[in-house]
PDB file of all heavy atoms in Angstrom:
ATOM      1  N   GLY N  11      12.517  -7.185 -18.660  1.00 98.00           N
ATOM      2  CA  GLY N  11      12.682  -6.772 -17.257  1.00 98.00           C
ATOM      3  C   GLY N  11      13.740  -7.659 -16.563  1.00 98.00           C
ATOM      4  O   GLY N  11      13.400  -8.740 -16.020  1.00 98.00           O
ATOM      5  N   LEU N  12      14.957  -7.204 -16.579  1.00 98.00           N
ATOM      6  CA  LEU N  12      16.027  -8.001 -16.021  1.00 98.00           C
ATOM      7  C   LEU N  12      16.652  -7.388 -14.818  1.00 98.00           C
ATOM      8  O   LEU N  12      17.855  -7.011 -14.738  1.00 98.00           O
ATOM      9  CB  LEU N  12      17.161  -8.215 -17.120  1.00 98.00           C
ATOM     10  CG  LEU N  12      16.619  -8.868 -18.376  1.00 98.00           C
ATOM     11  CD1 LEU N  12      17.658  -8.805 -19.503  1.00 98.00           C
ATOM     12  CD2 LEU N  12      16.203 -10.300 -18.169  1.00 98.00           C
ATOM     13  N   GLY N  13      15.787  -7.166 -13.783  1.00 97.00           N
ATOM     14  CA  GLY N  13      16.261  -6.593 -12.522  1.00 97.00           C
ATOM     15  C   GLY N  13      16.741  -7.730 -11.584  1.00 97.00           C
ATOM     16  O   GLY N  13      17.135  -8.803 -12.030  1.00 97.00           O
ATOM     17  N   ILE N  14      16.640  -7.461 -10.273  1.00 96.00           N
ATOM     18  CA  ILE N  14      17.094  -8.428  -9.245  1.00 96.00           C
ATOM     19  C   ILE N  14      16.412  -9.793  -9.560  1.00 96.00           C
ATOM     20  O   ILE N  14      17.056 -10.845  -9.477  1.00 96.00           O
ATOM     21  CB  ILE N  14      16.712  -7.944  -7.835  1.00 96.00           C
ATOM     22  CG1 ILE N  14      17.516  -6.692  -7.496  1.00 96.00           C
ATOM     23  CG2 ILE N  14      16.882  -9.054  -6.802  1.00 96.00           C
ATOM     24  CD1 ILE N  14      17.106  -6.089  -6.181  1.00 96.00           C
ATOM     25  N   MET N  15      15.124  -9.783  -9.868  1.00 97.00           N
ATOM     26  CA  MET N  15      14.340 -11.014 -10.074  1.00 97.00           C
ATOM     27  C   MET N  15      14.495 -11.519 -11.543  1.00 97.00           C
ATOM     28  O   MET N  15      14.699 -12.724 -11.769  1.00 97.00           O
ATOM     29  CB  MET N  15      12.928 -10.784  -9.702  1.00 97.00           C
ATOM     30  CG  MET N  15      12.648 -10.332  -8.268  1.00 97.00           C
ATOM     31  SD  MET N  15      13.252 -11.472  -7.024  1.00 97.00           S
ATOM     32  CE  MET N  15      11.920 -12.721  -7.071  1.00 97.00           C
ATOM     33  N   GLY N  16      14.252 -10.577 -12.482  1.00 98.00           N
ATOM     34  CA  GLY N  16      14.170 -11.031 -13.856  1.00 98.00           C
ATOM     35  C   GLY N  16      15.415 -11.651 -14.412  1.00 98.00           C
ATOM     36  O   GLY N  16      15.339 -12.677 -15.198  1.00 98.00           O
ATOM     37  N   ASN N  34      15.860  -5.218 -21.856  1.00 98.00           N
ATOM     38  CA  ASN N  34      15.860  -4.444 -20.633  1.00 98.00           C
ATOM     39  C   ASN N  34      16.174  -2.964 -20.967  1.00 98.00           C
ATOM     40  O   ASN N  34      16.977  -2.692 -21.825  1.00 98.00           O
ATOM     41  CB  ASN N  34      16.930  -4.998 -19.679  1.00 98.00           C
ATOM     42  CG  ASN N  34      16.738  -4.506 -18.276  1.00 98.00           C
ATOM     43  OD1 ASN N  34      15.654  -4.749 -17.639  1.00 98.00           O
ATOM     44  ND2 ASN N  34      17.693  -3.727 -17.769  1.00 98.00           N
ATOM     45  N   ARG N  35      15.497  -2.089 -20.204  1.00 98.00           N
ATOM     46  CA  ARG N  35      15.716  -0.657 -20.451  1.00 98.00           C
ATOM     47  C   ARG N  35      17.200  -0.308 -20.333  1.00 98.00           C
ATOM     48  O   ARG N  35      17.749   0.362 -21.191  1.00 98.00           O
ATOM     49  CB  ARG N  35      14.915   0.123 -19.412  1.00 98.00           C
ATOM     50  CG  ARG N  35      15.117   1.642 -19.472  1.00 98.00           C
ATOM     51  CD  ARG N  35      14.296   2.366 -18.438  1.00 98.00           C
ATOM     52  NE  ARG N  35      14.689   1.938 -16.989  1.00 98.00           N
ATOM     53  CZ  ARG N  35      14.139   2.470 -15.918  1.00 98.00           C
ATOM     54  NH1 ARG N  35      13.236   3.374 -16.059  1.00 98.00           N
ATOM     55  NH2 ARG N  35      14.568   2.075 -14.754  1.00 98.00           N
ATOM     56  N   THR N  36      17.821  -0.796 -19.292  1.00 98.00           N
ATOM     57  CA  THR N  36      19.296  -0.650 -19.170  1.00 98.00           C
ATOM     58  C   THR N  36      19.930  -1.747 -19.904  1.00 98.00           C
ATOM     59  O   THR N  36      19.976  -2.901 -19.421  1.00 98.00           O
ATOM     60  CB  THR N  36      19.708  -0.542 -17.693  1.00 98.00           C
ATOM     61  OG1 THR N  36      18.922   0.409 -17.066  1.00 98.00           O
ATOM     62  CG2 THR N  36      21.188  -0.307 -17.491  1.00 98.00           C
ATOM     63  N   LYS N  39      22.444  -4.848 -18.739  1.00 97.00           N
ATOM     64  CA  LYS N  39      21.963  -6.036 -18.024  1.00 97.00           C
ATOM     65  C   LYS N  39      21.619  -7.154 -19.038  1.00 97.00           C
ATOM     66  O   LYS N  39      21.832  -8.355 -18.778  1.00 97.00           O
ATOM     67  CB  LYS N  39      20.732  -5.731 -17.121  1.00 97.00           C
ATOM     68  CG  LYS N  39      21.093  -4.759 -16.043  1.00 97.00           C
ATOM     69  CD  LYS N  39      19.940  -4.609 -15.040  1.00 97.00           C
ATOM     70  CE  LYS N  39      20.068  -3.421 -14.148  1.00 97.00           C
ATOM     71  NZ  LYS N  39      18.830  -3.105 -13.393  1.00 97.00           N
ATOM     72  N   MET N  67       8.649  -8.866 -16.172  1.00 98.00           N
ATOM     73  CA  MET N  67       9.030  -8.862 -14.748  1.00 98.00           C
ATOM     74  C   MET N  67       9.651  -7.457 -14.489  1.00 98.00           C
ATOM     75  O   MET N  67      10.838  -7.257 -14.368  1.00 98.00           O
ATOM     76  CB  MET N  67      10.090  -9.937 -14.476  1.00 98.00           C
ATOM     77  CG  MET N  67      10.413 -10.197 -13.026  1.00 98.00           C
ATOM     78  SD  MET N  67       8.847 -10.507 -12.132  1.00 98.00           S
ATOM     79  CE  MET N  67       9.433 -10.982 -10.516  1.00 98.00           C
ATOM     80  N   LEU N  68       8.705  -6.496 -14.381  1.00 98.00           N
ATOM     81  CA  LEU N  68       9.061  -5.114 -14.243  1.00 98.00           C
ATOM     82  C   LEU N  68       8.567  -4.546 -12.906  1.00 98.00           C
ATOM     83  O   LEU N  68       7.761  -5.206 -12.237  1.00 98.00           O
ATOM     84  CB  LEU N  68       8.470  -4.333 -15.410  1.00 98.00           C
ATOM     85  CG  LEU N  68       9.045  -4.764 -16.770  1.00 98.00           C
ATOM     86  CD1 LEU N  68       7.960  -4.899 -17.803  1.00 98.00           C
ATOM     87  CD2 LEU N  68      10.140  -3.867 -17.245  1.00 98.00           C
ATOM     88  N   THR N  69       8.955  -3.278 -12.643  1.00 97.00           N
ATOM     89  CA  THR N  69       8.616  -2.710 -11.337  1.00 97.00           C
ATOM     90  C   THR N  69       7.109  -2.645 -11.079  1.00 97.00           C
ATOM     91  O   THR N  69       6.633  -3.185 -10.067  1.00 97.00           O
ATOM     92  CB  THR N  69       9.206  -1.294 -11.286  1.00 97.00           C
ATOM     93  OG1 THR N  69      10.599  -1.387 -11.598  1.00 97.00           O
ATOM     94  CG2 THR N  69       8.995  -0.665  -9.906  1.00 97.00           C
ATOM     95  N   ASP N  70       6.399  -1.985 -11.980  1.00 98.00           N
ATOM     96  CA  ASP N  70       5.017  -1.662 -11.682  1.00 98.00           C
ATOM     97  C   ASP N  70       4.186  -1.394 -12.959  1.00 98.00           C
ATOM     98  O   ASP N  70       4.765  -1.526 -14.063  1.00 98.00           O
ATOM     99  CB  ASP N  70       4.973  -0.354 -10.779  1.00 98.00           C
ATOM    100  CG  ASP N  70       5.721   0.821 -11.443  1.00 98.00           C
ATOM    101  OD1 ASP N  70       6.025   0.715 -12.626  1.00 98.00           O
ATOM    102  OD2 ASP N  70       5.881   1.821 -10.768  1.00 98.00           O
ATOM    103  N   ALA N  72       3.235   1.236 -14.470  1.00 98.00           N
ATOM    104  CA  ALA N  72       3.806   2.303 -15.336  1.00 98.00           C
ATOM    105  C   ALA N  72       4.953   1.828 -16.142  1.00 98.00           C
ATOM    106  O   ALA N  72       5.118   2.070 -17.347  1.00 98.00           O
ATOM    107  CB  ALA N  72       4.263   3.511 -14.494  1.00 98.00           C
ATOM    108  N   ALA N  73       5.809   0.971 -15.558  1.00 98.00           N
ATOM    109  CA  ALA N  73       6.937   0.337 -16.248  1.00 98.00           C
ATOM    110  C   ALA N  73       6.448  -0.563 -17.355  1.00 98.00           C
ATOM    111  O   ALA N  73       7.038  -0.602 -18.461  1.00 98.00           O
ATOM    112  CB  ALA N  73       7.843  -0.376 -15.288  1.00 98.00           C
ATOM    113  N   GLN N  76       5.286   1.428 -20.253  1.00 98.00           N
ATOM    114  CA  GLN N  76       6.440   2.022 -20.959  1.00 98.00           C
ATOM    115  C   GLN N  76       7.013   1.022 -21.971  1.00 98.00           C
ATOM    116  O   GLN N  76       7.432   1.475 -23.078  1.00 98.00           O
ATOM    117  CB  GLN N  76       7.532   2.309 -19.883  1.00 98.00           C
ATOM    118  CG  GLN N  76       8.704   3.182 -20.358  1.00 98.00           C
ATOM    119  CD  GLN N  76       8.270   4.586 -20.473  1.00 98.00           C
ATOM    120  OE1 GLN N  76       7.556   5.128 -19.580  1.00 98.00           O
ATOM    121  NE2 GLN N  76       8.693   5.276 -21.501  1.00 98.00           N
ATOM    122  N   VAL N  77       6.990  -0.261 -21.701  1.00 98.00           N
ATOM    123  CA  VAL N  77       7.542  -1.224 -22.672  1.00 98.00           C
ATOM    124  C   VAL N  77       6.424  -1.778 -23.553  1.00 98.00           C
ATOM    125  O   VAL N  77       6.686  -2.474 -24.557  1.00 98.00           O
ATOM    126  CB  VAL N  77       8.328  -2.375 -22.021  1.00 98.00           C
ATOM    127  CG1 VAL N  77       9.511  -1.824 -21.239  1.00 98.00           C
ATOM    128  CG2 VAL N  77       7.422  -3.173 -21.088  1.00 98.00           C
ATOM    129  N   MET N  97       4.515 -11.377 -14.548  1.00 98.00           N
ATOM    130  CA  MET N  97       4.993 -11.880 -13.263  1.00 98.00           C
ATOM    131  C   MET N  97       5.365 -10.777 -12.221  1.00 98.00           C
ATOM    132  O   MET N  97       5.758 -11.080 -11.128  1.00 98.00           O
ATOM    133  CB  MET N  97       6.240 -12.805 -13.533  1.00 98.00           C
ATOM    134  CG  MET N  97       5.910 -13.925 -14.473  1.00 98.00           C
ATOM    135  SD  MET N  97       7.063 -15.214 -14.655  1.00 98.00           S
ATOM    136  CE  MET N  97       6.829 -16.270 -13.244  1.00 98.00           C
ATOM    137  N   SER N  98       5.300  -9.528 -12.681  1.00 98.00           N
ATOM    138  CA  SER N  98       5.582  -8.417 -11.708  1.00 98.00           C
ATOM    139  C   SER N  98       4.451  -8.374 -10.658  1.00 98.00           C
ATOM    140  O   SER N  98       3.369  -8.941 -10.884  1.00 98.00           O
ATOM    141  CB  SER N  98       5.558  -7.068 -12.454  1.00 98.00           C
ATOM    142  OG  SER N  98       5.949  -7.173 -13.841  1.00 98.00           O
ATOM    143  N   THR N  99       4.722  -7.701  -9.532  1.00 98.00           N
ATOM    144  CA  THR N  99       3.655  -7.548  -8.512  1.00 98.00           C
ATOM    145  C   THR N  99       2.877  -6.272  -8.870  1.00 98.00           C
ATOM    146  O   THR N  99       3.423  -5.165  -8.867  1.00 98.00           O
ATOM    147  CB  THR N  99       4.231  -7.416  -7.145  1.00 98.00           C
ATOM    148  OG1 THR N  99       5.110  -8.512  -6.894  1.00 98.00           O
ATOM    149  CG2 THR N  99       3.174  -7.363  -6.071  1.00 98.00           C
ATOM    150  N   LEU N 100       1.555  -6.468  -9.110  1.00 98.00           N
ATOM    151  CA  LEU N 100       0.714  -5.315  -9.573  1.00 98.00           C
ATOM    152  C   LEU N 100      -0.534  -5.254  -8.692  1.00 98.00           C
ATOM    153  O   LEU N 100      -0.879  -6.228  -7.993  1.00 98.00           O
ATOM    154  CB  LEU N 100       0.251  -5.532 -11.010  1.00 98.00           C
ATOM    155  CG  LEU N 100       1.346  -5.770 -12.069  1.00 98.00           C
ATOM    156  CD1 LEU N 100       0.716  -5.957 -13.447  1.00 98.00           C
ATOM    157  CD2 LEU N 100       2.361  -4.656 -12.111  1.00 98.00           C
ATOM    158  N   VAL N 124       5.221 -13.645  -8.146  1.00 98.00           N
ATOM    159  CA  VAL N 124       6.075 -14.637  -7.476  1.00 98.00           C
ATOM    160  C   VAL N 124       6.302 -14.307  -6.045  1.00 98.00           C
ATOM    161  O   VAL N 124       6.330 -13.087  -5.659  1.00 98.00           O
ATOM    162  CB  VAL N 124       7.412 -14.702  -8.203  1.00 98.00           C
ATOM    163  CG1 VAL N 124       7.255 -14.758  -9.729  1.00 98.00           C
ATOM    164  CG2 VAL N 124       8.407 -13.559  -7.869  1.00 98.00           C
ATOM    165  N   THR N 125       6.497 -15.279  -5.207  1.00 97.00           N
ATOM    166  CA  THR N 125       7.020 -15.020  -3.863  1.00 97.00           C
ATOM    167  C   THR N 125       8.417 -15.697  -3.755  1.00 97.00           C
ATOM    168  O   THR N 125       8.720 -16.660  -4.442  1.00 97.00           O
ATOM    169  CB  THR N 125       6.166 -15.493  -2.719  1.00 97.00           C
ATOM    170  OG1 THR N 125       6.227 -16.938  -2.664  1.00 97.00           O
ATOM    171  CG2 THR N 125       4.752 -15.075  -2.818  1.00 97.00           C
ATOM    172  N   GLY N 126       9.224 -15.122  -2.870  1.00 95.00           N
ATOM    173  CA  GLY N 126      10.659 -15.487  -2.766  1.00 95.00           C
ATOM    174  C   GLY N 126      11.421 -14.266  -3.211  1.00 95.00           C
ATOM    175  O   GLY N 126      10.868 -13.413  -3.926  1.00 95.00           O
ATOM    176  N   SER N 127      12.648 -14.184  -2.700  1.00 92.00           N
ATOM    177  CA  SER N 127      13.442 -13.005  -3.045  1.00 92.00           C
ATOM    178  C   SER N 127      14.742 -13.422  -3.740  1.00 92.00           C
ATOM    179  O   SER N 127      14.757 -14.476  -4.401  1.00 92.00           O
ATOM    180  CB  SER N 127      13.662 -12.201  -1.757  1.00 92.00           C
ATOM    181  OG  SER N 127      14.151 -10.916  -2.003  1.00 92.00           O
ATOM    182  N   LYS N 128      15.775 -12.573  -3.545  1.00 93.00           N
ATOM    183  CA  LYS N 128      17.062 -12.809  -4.274  1.00 93.00           C
ATOM    184  C   LYS N 128      17.559 -14.275  -4.154  1.00 93.00           C
ATOM    185  O   LYS N 128      17.890 -14.898  -5.154  1.00 93.00           O
ATOM    186  CB  LYS N 128      18.069 -11.817  -3.697  1.00 93.00           C
ATOM    187  CG  LYS N 128      19.251 -11.490  -4.553  1.00 93.00           C
ATOM    188  CD  LYS N 128      19.965 -10.360  -3.928  1.00 93.00           C
ATOM    189  CE  LYS N 128      21.105  -9.740  -4.710  1.00 93.00           C
ATOM    190  NZ  LYS N 128      22.084 -10.570  -5.281  1.00 93.00           N
ATOM    191  N   LYS N 174      -0.830 -12.424  -4.067  1.00 98.00           N
ATOM    192  CA  LYS N 174       0.553 -11.884  -3.865  1.00 98.00           C
ATOM    193  C   LYS N 174       0.532 -10.738  -2.918  1.00 98.00           C
ATOM    194  O   LYS N 174       1.423 -10.627  -2.042  1.00 98.00           O
ATOM    195  CB  LYS N 174       1.048 -11.455  -5.246  1.00 98.00           C
ATOM    196  CG  LYS N 174       2.387 -10.723  -5.156  1.00 98.00           C
ATOM    197  CD  LYS N 174       3.524 -11.500  -4.578  1.00 98.00           C
ATOM    198  CE  LYS N 174       4.740 -10.623  -4.341  1.00 98.00           C
ATOM    199  NZ  LYS N 174       5.782 -11.278  -3.595  1.00 98.00           N
ATOM    200  N   ASN N 178       2.593 -10.461   0.624  1.00 98.00           N
ATOM    201  CA  ASN N 178       3.520  -9.374   0.891  1.00 98.00           C
ATOM    202  C   ASN N 178       3.140  -8.568   2.128  1.00 98.00           C
ATOM    203  O   ASN N 178       3.945  -7.926   2.773  1.00 98.00           O
ATOM    204  CB  ASN N 178       3.728  -8.443  -0.323  1.00 98.00           C
ATOM    205  CG  ASN N 178       4.937  -8.858  -1.104  1.00 98.00           C
ATOM    206  OD1 ASN N 178       5.465  -9.947  -0.914  1.00 98.00           O
ATOM    207  ND2 ASN N 178       5.411  -8.003  -1.996  1.00 98.00           N
ATOM    208  N   ALA N 235      17.806  -6.826  -1.510  1.00 94.00           N
ATOM    209  CA  ALA N 235      17.286  -8.103  -2.035  1.00 94.00           C
ATOM    210  C   ALA N 235      15.844  -7.805  -2.533  1.00 94.00           C
ATOM    211  O   ALA N 235      15.417  -8.299  -3.546  1.00 94.00           O
ATOM    212  CB  ALA N 235      17.254  -9.156  -0.897  1.00 94.00           C
ATOM    213  N   PHE N 236      15.163  -6.923  -1.805  1.00 96.00           N
ATOM    214  CA  PHE N 236      13.871  -6.427  -2.204  1.00 96.00           C
ATOM    215  C   PHE N 236      13.792  -4.964  -1.821  1.00 96.00           C
ATOM    216  O   PHE N 236      13.960  -4.641  -0.639  1.00 96.00           O
ATOM    217  CB  PHE N 236      12.750  -7.221  -1.526  1.00 96.00           C
ATOM    218  CG  PHE N 236      11.314  -6.847  -1.941  1.00 96.00           C
ATOM    219  CD1 PHE N 236      11.057  -6.311  -3.192  1.00 96.00           C
ATOM    220  CD2 PHE N 236      10.242  -7.122  -1.061  1.00 96.00           C
ATOM    221  CE1 PHE N 236       9.752  -5.945  -3.536  1.00 96.00           C
ATOM    222  CE2 PHE N 236       8.969  -6.840  -1.437  1.00 96.00           C
ATOM    223  CZ  PHE N 236       8.692  -6.264  -2.643  1.00 96.00           C
ATOM    224  N   SER N 237      13.738  -4.066  -2.771  1.00 97.00           N
ATOM    225  CA  SER N 237      13.891  -2.653  -2.489  1.00 97.00           C
ATOM    226  C   SER N 237      12.702  -2.101  -1.655  1.00 97.00           C
ATOM    227  O   SER N 237      11.528  -2.565  -1.798  1.00 97.00           O
ATOM    228  CB  SER N 237      14.079  -1.858  -3.745  1.00 97.00           C
ATOM    229  OG  SER N 237      12.889  -1.774  -4.484  1.00 97.00           O
ATOM    230  N   ASN N 240       9.964  -0.833  -3.896  1.00 97.00           N
ATOM    231  CA  ASN N 240       9.052  -1.858  -4.447  1.00 97.00           C
ATOM    232  C   ASN N 240       8.104  -2.399  -3.371  1.00 97.00           C
ATOM    233  O   ASN N 240       6.907  -2.677  -3.689  1.00 97.00           O
ATOM    234  CB  ASN N 240       9.883  -2.996  -5.062  1.00 97.00           C
ATOM    235  CG  ASN N 240      10.250  -2.731  -6.533  1.00 97.00           C
ATOM    236  OD1 ASN N 240       9.722  -1.784  -7.113  1.00 97.00           O
ATOM    237  ND2 ASN N 240      11.134  -3.487  -7.026  1.00 97.00           N
ATOM    238  N   LYS N 243       5.437   0.263  -2.873  1.00 98.00           N
ATOM    239  CA  LYS N 243       4.438   0.197  -3.969  1.00 98.00           C
ATOM    240  C   LYS N 243       3.389  -0.892  -3.596  1.00 98.00           C
ATOM    241  O   LYS N 243       2.196  -0.647  -3.705  1.00 98.00           O
ATOM    242  CB  LYS N 243       5.238  -0.219  -5.236  1.00 98.00           C
ATOM    243  CG  LYS N 243       4.390  -0.971  -6.318  1.00 98.00           C
ATOM    244  CD  LYS N 243       5.293  -1.566  -7.378  1.00 98.00           C
ATOM    245  CE  LYS N 243       6.094  -2.753  -7.015  1.00 98.00           C
ATOM    246  NZ  LYS N 243       5.494  -4.047  -7.206  1.00 98.00           N
ATOM    247  N   ASP N 244       3.846  -2.025  -3.101  1.00 98.00           N
ATOM    248  CA  ASP N 244       2.913  -3.163  -2.785  1.00 98.00           C
ATOM    249  C   ASP N 244       2.014  -2.751  -1.578  1.00 98.00           C
ATOM    250  O   ASP N 244       0.846  -3.115  -1.550  1.00 98.00           O
ATOM    251  CB  ASP N 244       3.657  -4.441  -2.539  1.00 98.00           C
ATOM    252  CG  ASP N 244       4.416  -4.858  -3.772  1.00 98.00           C
ATOM    253  OD1 ASP N 244       4.197  -4.314  -4.855  1.00 98.00           O
ATOM    254  OD2 ASP N 244       5.258  -5.804  -3.622  1.00 98.00           O
TER     255      ASP N 244
HETATM  256  P1  NAP D   1      14.292  -4.261  -9.886  1.00 77.81           P
HETATM  257  O1  NAP D   1      15.532  -4.942  -9.554  1.00 77.81           O
HETATM  258  O2  NAP D   1      14.078  -2.807  -9.417  1.00 77.81           O
HETATM  259  O3  NAP D   1      13.996  -4.351 -11.457  1.00 77.81           O
HETATM  260  C1  NAP D   1      12.972  -3.653 -12.041  1.00 77.81           C
HETATM  261  C2  NAP D   1      12.922  -3.930 -13.539  1.00 77.81           C
HETATM  262  O4  NAP D   1      11.925  -3.034 -14.173  1.00 77.81           O
HETATM  263  C3  NAP D   1      14.295  -3.580 -14.233  1.00 77.81           C
HETATM  264  O5  NAP D   1      14.447  -4.389 -15.372  1.00 77.81           O
HETATM  265  C4  NAP D   1      14.035  -2.105 -14.678  1.00 77.81           C
HETATM  266  O6  NAP D   1      14.871  -1.701 -15.742  1.00 77.81           O
HETATM  267  C5  NAP D   1      12.556  -2.217 -15.152  1.00 77.81           C
HETATM  268  N1  NAP D   1      11.927  -0.935 -15.185  1.00 77.81           N
HETATM  269  C6  NAP D   1      11.571  -0.155 -14.113  1.00 77.81           C
HETATM  270  N2  NAP D   1      10.966   1.050 -14.531  1.00 77.81           N
HETATM  271  C7  NAP D   1      10.961   0.852 -15.893  1.00 77.81           C
HETATM  272  C8  NAP D   1      10.488   1.773 -16.938  1.00 77.81           C
HETATM  273  N3  NAP D   1       9.838   2.957 -16.694  1.00 77.81           N
HETATM  274  N4  NAP D   1      10.598   1.401 -18.225  1.00 77.81           N
HETATM  275  C9  NAP D   1      11.190   0.196 -18.544  1.00 77.81           C
HETATM  276  N5  NAP D   1      11.684  -0.678 -17.585  1.00 77.81           N
HETATM  277  C10 NAP D   1      11.566  -0.310 -16.332  1.00 77.81           C
HETATM  278  O7  NAP D   1      13.005  -5.050  -9.251  1.00 77.81           O
HETATM  279  P2  NAP D   1      12.861  -6.546  -8.902  1.00 77.81           P
HETATM  280  O8  NAP D   1      13.229  -6.787  -7.442  1.00 77.81           O
HETATM  281  O9  NAP D   1      13.492  -7.410  -9.949  1.00 77.81           O
HETATM  282  O10 NAP D   1      11.287  -6.701  -8.914  1.00 77.81           O
HETATM  283  C11 NAP D   1      10.555  -6.879 -10.137  1.00 77.81           C
HETATM  284  C12 NAP D   1       9.051  -7.128  -9.753  1.00 77.81           C
HETATM  285  O11 NAP D   1       9.061  -8.288  -8.945  1.00 77.81           O
HETATM  286  C13 NAP D   1       8.432  -5.997  -8.949  1.00 77.81           C
HETATM  287  O12 NAP D   1       7.107  -5.902  -9.271  1.00 77.81           O
HETATM  288  C14 NAP D   1       8.621  -6.485  -7.524  1.00 77.81           C
HETATM  289  O13 NAP D   1       7.624  -5.903  -6.686  1.00 77.81           O
HETATM  290  C15 NAP D   1       8.441  -7.981  -7.697  1.00 77.81           C
HETATM  291  N6  NAP D   1       9.058  -8.834  -6.687  1.00 77.81           N
HETATM  292  C16 NAP D   1      10.322  -8.579  -6.185  1.00 77.81           C
HETATM  293  C17 NAP D   1      10.869  -9.395  -5.257  1.00 77.81           C
HETATM  294  C18 NAP D   1      12.223  -9.168  -4.623  1.00 77.81           C
HETATM  295  O14 NAP D   1      12.463  -9.714  -3.538  1.00 77.81           O
HETATM  296  N7  NAP D   1      13.120  -8.409  -5.274  1.00 77.81           N
HETATM  297  C19 NAP D   1      10.179 -10.542  -4.789  1.00 77.81           C
HETATM  298  C20 NAP D   1       8.943 -10.828  -5.392  1.00 77.81           C
HETATM  299  C21 NAP D   1       8.390  -9.922  -6.343  1.00 77.81           C
HETATM  300  P3  NAP D   1      16.325  -1.081 -15.448  1.00 77.81           P
HETATM  301  O15 NAP D   1      17.189  -2.283 -15.237  1.00 77.81           O
HETATM  302  O16 NAP D   1      16.604  -0.286 -16.637  1.00 77.81           O
HETATM  303  O17 NAP D   1      16.180  -0.240 -14.203  1.00 77.81           O
END
Side-chain angles (χ1 to χ4, degrees):
L12 303 170
I14 293 173
M15 301 299 282
N34 194 63
R35 176 181 61 176
T36 306
K39 294 186 196 170
M67 191 54 172
L68 295 138
T69 307
D70 58 10
Q76 194 73 42
V77 297
M97 304 188 82
S98 332
T99 307
L100 307 180
V124 315
T125 71
S127 193
K128 200 170 187 311
K174 171 62 190 169
N178 264 15
F236 183 25
S237 71
N240 276 346
K243 154 191 72 92
D244 298 347

